[in-house]
Amino acid sequence: MTPSINTGKTAVVLSGGGANGAYEVGVLKALCAGKSKVTQFQPLDPDIFSGTSIGSFNAALLVSRSQAEDHCPLEQLEKIWLDVIPKDGSTDHNHVFRFRADPFEFLGSELMSQNPLVPMGAFANDAAFLAQDWLNRGLQFLKSREPVERRTLELMDISTLISNEPETRLLAATIDAANLLRSPKVLKMAATNWDSGELTVFTNHSGTDPGEVLMPEALVPQAILASTAIPGVFPSVEIDGAHYVDGGVVMNTPLTPAVRAGAETLHLIYLDPNVANIPLGALQSTLDVMSRLLTIQFASKMNSDIAAARRINQGLTALEKFRQHEPPGSESPDMTGVLGFLDGLLSGQSGPFKNLTIHRYHPRDDVSGVLGLLDFNRNRIARLMDRGYKDAVEHDCRASQCVMPDGSYAA
C-alpha cells in the first residue's frame, strides 16, 4: 500500500458560480497558453475535467471541442463567452435565461421592427404559462389543509418567472455531444439528486464510483442542464424518473471525482473569495446574509477536501519513510492507524493511493455577490476573464497555499 509511481494525470476542477464562470475561462486561457510558471510555461493539456454548475458547462464544452491538434480549445470557449452568451440573437436578454413576460424586453426588442409576431408570440406564451401556474397554486391554496401562513408562502415561486429555454438552445448550438463521448478526455459533472439529496456524477467514461452515471448521447445536454439548475431560480431536470438540480448544493468544487478518476496534479479553479475579505456591512440585509452563508458553506466543504488531500499526502510520505526503515510485516500501531485513515478517506477509489499536487486559483475578494451570479453583461465577462488570466500568470503557490506531494503547503 505504498504510493504509486506518478503517471502524470492532470485534472482541471471547475466550481459553480453562474456568470462568474468567466473568471475560470481567464485562468484556463493562461494555463493552456503556457503563460504561467505553475506549468513551467508549458501549455496545460488536462486529462480530466471535473465541473459543477457553470463549471460543468465550461468543462463539457472544452471536452466536446477537443481535437488531437487542439487539446485545450480556449479560443472557442472565450469566443462563446464573449459573443454568444451575453446576447441571444437580436433579443434583449442573454443566452442563458430570460424573465417571462418581461414588458421592457417586449417593448425594446429589435425583433419588433423585424418580425413583431415573434416577441408578441413569446409574450403570449409566457402569459399563458404564468396564468396556468397561478391557477394551479390558487387551487392548491384552497384545497390544502396546511396553516394559512404556509399556504400563502407556497403561492410564491420566483423560478416560475424565469425561463432557461435560452440555455437549452445554447447547449444545442455549442456542445458536440457525440464528440464529447468519443473524446479520450474524462469528464465528470456533479449534480444533486433532488429526491434523495445525494450527489450524482455524470461522466463520458465508465467508472466504479458510487453515484456515477455514464451518459448516452441524448443525455448530455440534460445532464448539463441538471448540473446548472440553481434551486429556486431554474427548474429541476427530470432524468429517468429522478429530479436533479445544481451540483453546488452538495459539492460546489468537485475535487473528489477528479481524484477518483486518477488525477495526481489538480488545477482547482473556484469562484469563492476569502471569507475574511468580505467586510460585514453596517446594515445587514437578507441578501447579504444569504451571500455570506453560501460563501462560507462552499469554502468550508472545499477546504475540508483539500485538508483531506494534505493528510493523504502526509500519511503516504510517513508510510514510505517507515517502509524504508522497517522490515515488511512489522507495522507499529501508529502505522496501522495511518493505513486505516487512508482506507477511510479513499474508500471507493480504484487503484493504488497517490500523492496529490493541488494548485488553487480564485479571486481574493467578492466579485459580485448573489446577484452577480446572473449578470452576463459582456463588459463584466471580459473584466472577469482578464482578472482570471492575470491571476494565473502571476500565480504564487505560496500565497495560494497550494498543496505539495509531501502534504506541505508550497514554500
Side-chain angles (χ1 to χ4, degrees), residues 69-260:
E69 69 281 0
D70 186 11
H71 297 291
C72 198
L74 255 296
E75 287 187 9
Q76 299 176 51
L77 181 62
E78 182 181 19
K79 182 176 177 61
I80 288 170
W81 267 92
L82 288 173
D83 299 334
V84 180
I85 289 178
K87 194 170 179 62
D88 183 9
S90 57
T91 66
D92 292 326
H93 58 73
N94 59 66
H95 217 132
V96 178
F97 74 95
R98 65 180 181 83
F99 293 103
R100 296 185 190 274
D102 181 358
F104 296 101
E105 178 185 331
F106 176 70
L107 295 173
S109 175
E110 296 175 19
L111 287 176
M112 284 297 293
S113 59
Q114 302 172 9
N115 186 355
L117 293 179
V118 174
M120 291 175 65
F123 190 87
N125 289 336
D126 288 344
F129 175 90
L130 293 173
Q132 183 63 52
D133 180 73
W134 292 337
L135 176 61
N136 292 339
R137 292 180 185 277
L139 292 174
Q140 182 62 31
F141 179 89
L142 296 175
K143 292 190 301 182
S144 176
R145 294 185 179 183
E146 296 287 344
V148 66
E149 294 87 354
R150 179 178 177 84
R151 285 187 285 161
T152 302
L153 290 174
E154 289 177 344
L155 289 173
M156 296 179 289
D157 182 5
I158 295 176
S159 66
T160 61
L161 302 176
I162 299 174
S163 170
N164 66 339
E165 182 270 335
E167 182 187 6
T168 301
R169 289 186 285 104
L170 173 68
L171 297 180
T174 59
I175 303 294
D176 185 337
N179 198 52
L180 182 149
L181 297 179
R182 288 194 301 266
S183 174
K185 308 289 186 183
V186 175
L187 174 65
K188 305 282 186 177
M189 298 190 295
T192 302
N193 186 314
W194 200 230
D195 301 314
S196 67
E198 297 177 345
L199 176 72
T200 296
V201 177
F202 294 100
T203 182
N204 63 339
H205 289 277
S206 60
T208 59
D209 289 350
E212 190 172 86
V213 175
L214 180 63
M215 298 179 292
E217 184 174 337
L219 184 58
V220 170
Q222 290 297 99
I224 301 173
L225 282 174
S227 183
T228 59
I230 303 173
V233 178
F234 299 139
S236 63
V237 178
E238 184 174 352
I239 298 175
D240 293 334
H243 299 85
Y244 294 90
V245 297
D246 197 306
V249 174
V250 292
M251 183 179 285
N252 196 50
T253 306
L255 178 66
T256 303
V259 173
R260 289 181 171 172

Side-chain angles (χ1 to χ4, degrees), residues 361-409:
Y361 315 82
H362 73 115
R364 304 296 183 201
D365 56 332
D366 190 9
V367 295
S368 67
V370 172
L371 295 180
L373 298 179
L374 300 178
D375 184 0
F376 291 92
N377 176 273
R378 189 184 192 280
N379 291 333
R380 180 173 180 273
I381 285 173
R383 289 195 301 270
L384 284 171
M385 281 187 186
D386 290 342
R387 182 169 179 174
Y389 183 88
K390 181 179 179 182
D391 285 354
V393 169
E394 300 176 354
H395 182 75
D396 184 337
C397 280
R398 182 179 181 181
S400 300
Q401 292 191 311
C402 297
V403 176
M404 298 294 104
D406 63 357
S408 66
Y409 285 128

